[in-house]
Amino acid sequence: MTAVAHTSYGALRGEANSAGAGGDVVVFRGVPYAAAPTGERRWRPPQPPPGWAGVRAADTFGAIAPQDISTERLTKRGLTMSEDCLTLNIWTPAVDDQRRPVLVFLHGGGQTQGHGSAPLLDGSRLARRGDIVVVTLNFRLGVLGTLYAPDRHGAGSTNLALRDQRHALQWVRDEIGAFGGDSAAITVAGQSSGAVAIAALLAGGCDLFDRAILQSGGLERVRSTAAASAVAEQILSTGAFTRGGEPDVEQILAAQRGIDTGFVPPQGPFHPCIDGDVIDAHPLVVARTRDLPAIPILAGTTRDEWRIFDSALDEDIFTEQYVLDRAQALAGPDHDADAVVAMYRADHPTMREAAGAMVTDYHFTAPTEQFVRAHAGRGNAVFRYELQWPSPRAGLGACHDSCLALVFGNVDAVPALAGNDGAARQMSEAVQDRWLEFVRGAEPWQRYDGAGGATMLLGSETAIARGHRTEQLAVWEGRYPAYE
């Protein structure tokens, strides 16, 4: 079965997809939302895609953005990689005039990895269960999406990934009615660096969506102009850019690999930056000092975000001195590192777990809480959560990325993240039901009203908590760079 949608650029033919969705949905893959950012358009803002005659097949995912991934993995997943990557994917219960709520999802990956066609992000189950339209997309990554070099590439060349995302959101606003979606009911959601991007878009005043969901965002990672300039200087001093002419993709990726991404504290050399154009101040500063777009926000983190990253380290690394040094690096000179370690050790049986919990709070939980606290303080609806559902893999707990399988209902895609048994599927349905309430415009649980306010704990026992971990979060208050 196929269906045809008529956009401003031409007609598209999608195909039915019933796998695991409880009924057919129609999926449109590889839909161009912008012209190829190649040649003279490489360092330029996205431009409208060219139109086409006849009916264009939308049955193949578009090329993913250039990133470090082996040819073998690409082939195994049936994917290609190219700079010509500005496409999106749409799952809809039907191509009709029902005007369903729309969920646009921005993938994570540290702004250097990922794509909207990942199995975890398959929108079939979510679209069918919620009777909504689900959209995922690709956008420029790494150097090609974030290089801060306005002196070299001119005005409009900065924060290209954010410009791509903004352009895609405009495309959705303009065209989603052709796919059974409601252009006046768009929720943008993002996980990890996708959530960072949403915070940056909000800080820049983007009004192309009506509600926002921020999942596991390291919101402190938006870079100062100086930090972005320093990364650009390193990139532009490599042979890829100094030998003359425009470098090819492999040369750019090689230059990108030479940048130290840091570990603890986490660094984000390819995240959005304060460019004075797309964004003029850090999202945490904007939220605190002036109005963001007055839309409802659902935001939160997993309980044990950082454990999956620490799992790569040997056990003998986590000595008392190592954990103390980590606490000092994170908390800064104004805090007693011994007291910070003691506080986290009181809640965690091992040094590894305590060390991971500190980074979880510093990088994910505390900046998210500060961002939404300020938004709620201006009278906006905020719904805060902590996902406590543990990975079945020993030692990971409720780790980073585990929310994806639950939200999209694809617990079978990567079972190690959230499990793939009856209990995991029930947890997924519970999470989906709350996300879908929010997407439909309802209030999924009690509003968060400031420090210590209502937080939904999502796990084997789901309940609202107040005063949840306020002592730990207070350690990181004011710790982030003042980018004013």
Side-chain angles (χ1 to χ4, degrees):
M1 186 182 79
T2 62
V4 176
H6 296 273
T7 76
S8 301
Y9 303 96
L12 290 162
R13 184 175 63 251
E15 64 179 10
N17 175 14
S18 60
D24 283 345
V25 294
V26 182
V27 58
F28 296 82
R29 301 181 179 91
V31 178
Y33 67 83
T38 54
E40 294 182 353
R41 291 191 294 267
R42 173 182 268 180
W43 305 110
R44 306 306 303 155
Q47 299 298 312
W52 58 88
V55 179
R56 175 173 176 162
D59 54 3
T60 303
F61 286 122
I64 68 173
Q67 56 194 272
D68 278 326
I69 183 171
S70 69
T71 302
E72 180 182 356
R73 289 179 66 193
L74 279 172
T75 302
K76 183 178 180 180
R77 298 179 183 181
L79 297 172
T80 58
M81 185 169 70
S82 169
E83 284 188 78
D84 183 4
C85 62
L86 301 186
T87 61
L88 50 77
N89 314 297
I90 301 167
W91 289 263
T92 180
V95 177
D96 55 24
D97 59 359
Q98 289 300 305
R99 298 296 180 262
R100 298 168 179 83
V102 180
L103 177 67
V104 181
F105 194 87
L106 306 183
H107 71 76
Q111 193 49 50
T112 61
Q113 299 284 324
H115 49 90
S117 48
L120 269 176
L121 307 186
D122 184 295
S124 299
R125 289 183 172 97
L126 191 58
R128 171 53 60 194
R129 180 176 175 80
D131 192 30
I132 65 171
V133 178
V134 177
V135 181
T136 65
L137 57 138
N138 295 336
F139 40 85
R140 282 174 278 189
L141 299 174
V143 170
L144 289 166
T146 65
L147 185 68
Y148 179 75
D151 292 342
R152 180 185 179 103
H153 296 134
S157 66
T158 58
N159 278 322
L160 291 173
L162 289 182
R163 296 177 195 267
D164 291 345
Q165 293 157 359
R166 195 169 59 184
H167 193 86
L169 288 163
Q170 183 66 67
W171 189 98
V172 172
R173 187 76 97 183
D174 294 341
E175 305 294 340
I176 204 62
F179 301 87
D182 185 351
S183 63
I186 296 172
T187 299
V188 65
Q191 186 263 351
S192 196
S193 59
V196 177
I198 294 172
L201 289 169
L202 286 167
C206 182
D207 61 358
L208 295 171
F209 43 91
D210 307 290
R211 307 171 80 80
I213 300 175
L214 283 69
Q215 300 174 206
S216 300
L219 303 191
E220 50 87 19
R221 269 196 178 182
V222 174
R223 301 173 295 159
S224 68
T225 311
S229 297
V231 172
E233 184 177 352
Q234 294 180 63
I235 292 289
L236 295 176
S237 66
T238 63
F241 288 88
T242 60
R243 63 172 53 95
E246 271 292 300
D248 62 29
V249 168
E250 288 304 321
Q251 291 169 329
I252 290 174
L253 289 176
Q256 183 173 306
R257 284 190 290 271
I259 302 298
D260 181 12
T261 58
F263 194 67
V264 177
Q267 302 299 311
F270 304 108
H271 278 74
C273 73
I274 299 162
D275 63 353
D277 184 0
V278 181
I279 49 175
D280 63 3
H282 195 284
L284 293 177
V285 173
V286 174
R288 190 174 70 245
T289 60
R290 60 181 191 257
D291 289 339
L292 299 168
I295 63 171
I297 292 177
L298 186 155
T301 55
T302 71
R303 183 187 59 202
D304 309 302
E305 299 272 7
W306 198 253
R307 284 200 197 175
I308 197 167
F309 302 102
D310 272 348
S311 67
L313 302 179
D314 292 336
E315 190 66 38
D316 58 9
I317 287 177
F318 293 93
T319 64
E320 289 189 20
Q321 187 61 51
Y322 176 86
V323 178
L324 183 65
D325 291 344
R326 178 180 284 194
Q328 193 70 71
L330 294 171
D334 295 334
H335 289 286
D336 180 347
D338 289 293
V340 172
V341 172
M343 178 176 64
Y344 279 92
R345 283 287 283 130
D347 295 329
H348 299 87
T350 68
M351 297 299 280
R352 176 192 287 273
E353 291 179 9
M358 287 189 291
V359 191
T360 291
D361 285 348
Y362 168 87
H363 183 51
F364 296 101
T365 317
T368 296
E369 190 272 340
Q370 291 176 31
F371 186 74
V372 298
R373 182 208 309 165
H375 194 58
R378 297 181 185 277
N380 300 294
V382 168
F383 306 94
R384 188 161 174 261
Y385 75 89
E386 180 180 276
L387 180 65
Q388 299 184 333
W389 183 257
S391 162
R393 181 177 160 189
L396 290 189
C399 62
H400 195 62
D401 289 345
S402 59
C403 60
L404 295 174
L406 299 174
V407 168
F408 280 87
N410 298 323
V411 294
D412 54 336
V414 185
L417 285 177
N420 186 25
D421 56 11
R425 288 188 286 275
Q426 288 180 3
M427 186 74 248
S428 174
E429 291 179 356
V431 171
Q432 283 186 330
D433 287 346
R434 288 168 171 82
W435 262 237
L436 288 167
E437 281 189 65
F438 181 79
V439 169
R440 294 190 190 105
E443 300 200 355
W445 57 78
Q446 186 178 348
R447 291 188 182 190
Y448 174 76
D449 55 6
T455 298
M456 174 60 77
L457 307 181
L458 296 164
S460 55
E461 296 183 3
T462 297
I464 287 285
R466 282 189 169 273
H468 182 59
R469 304 184 63 253
T470 52
E471 181 183 5
Q472 291 91 335
L473 297 184
V475 170
W476 316 109
E477 194 70 33
R479 176 65 186 90
Y480 308 105
Y483 289 133
E484 293 94 333

